[in-house]
């Protein structure tokens, strides 16, 4: 696992050990950043279910002004901290050691881009998705990585499914506020 491009290009990142860990592949990560390529520079980024933090770190490397990494697992928080240090991207980053729902319930921040990638097969996107929507800045985008076959709602607050992309067994569903809404 590595940073694909930007100021930390080529830096290797640690990942969590174990068979149940499923880091975002480089193909999916590259595709996600192609979708939002003109929106990352200067953006406030939310990496919910951060895991190793690789997606938020990629955003920082590509010029995001800030990134909040949310993960309840202590081991994940330590890996994110190590990856931020090794990539030199600690500035503008914040690690939030709590459950995604608890964080969103008390969050007063606003984000331009939110990336949600919970563990597969646990139905963990259904509950945080409507809580993320009110935390989004005007013109914001919500991206959800999930397993093919998992049904996501057509809407989250004012956000509607804009497009869904398929990469083998992985899907990325993009939510945006429809033009004129």
């Amino acid at each position: 696992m590595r940073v694909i491009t930007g100021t930390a290009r080529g830096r290797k990142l640690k990942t969590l050990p174990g068979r149940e860990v499923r880091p975002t592949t480089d193909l999916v990560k590259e595709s996600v950043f192609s979708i939002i390529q003109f929106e990352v520079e200067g953006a406030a980024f939310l990496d919910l279910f951060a895991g190793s933090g690789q997606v938020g770190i990629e955003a920082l490397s590509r010029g995001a002004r800030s990134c909040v990494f949310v993960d309840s697992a202590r081991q994940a928080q330590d890996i994110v901290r190590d990856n931020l240090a090794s990539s030199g991207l600690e500035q503008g980053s914040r690690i939030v050691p709590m459950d995604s729902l608890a964080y969103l319930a008390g969050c007063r921040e606003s984000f331009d881009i939110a990336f949600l990638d919970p563990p597969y097969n646990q139905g963990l996107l259904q509950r945080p998705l409507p809580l993320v929507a009110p935390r989004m800045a005007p013109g914001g985008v919500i991206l959800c990585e999930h397993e093919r076959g998992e049904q996501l709602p057509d809407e989250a607050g004012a956000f509607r499914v804009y497009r869904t992309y398929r990469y083998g067994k992985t899907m990325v569903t993009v939510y945006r506020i429809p033009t004129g809404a």
Side-chain angles (χ1 to χ4, degrees), residues 39-45 59-60 63-67 111-113:
E39 299 168 86
V40 177
E41 184 76 33
F45 197 95
L60 289 168
R65 99 173 159 268
S66 64
C67 182
F111 300 98
D112 300 299
I113 303 168

Side-chain angles (χ1 to χ4, degrees), residues 127-180:
R127 291 180 59 205
L129 194 51
L131 299 175
V132 169
R135 302 280 42 100
M136 300 304 295
V141 59
I142 303 169
L143 303 113
C144 299
E145 182 179 332
H146 56 96
E147 188 170 42
R148 186 176 70 201
E150 182 178 358
Q151 282 300 116
L152 296 186
D154 291 333
E155 55 189 48
F159 287 80
R160 305 285 179 270
V161 171
Y162 173 75
R163 189 153 178 211
T164 299
Y165 301 84
R166 185 172 134 194
Y167 309 97
K169 294 179 181 180
T170 299
M171 309 269 305
V172 175
T173 299
V174 180
Y175 289 85
R176 293 183 184 276
I177 295 177
T179 307

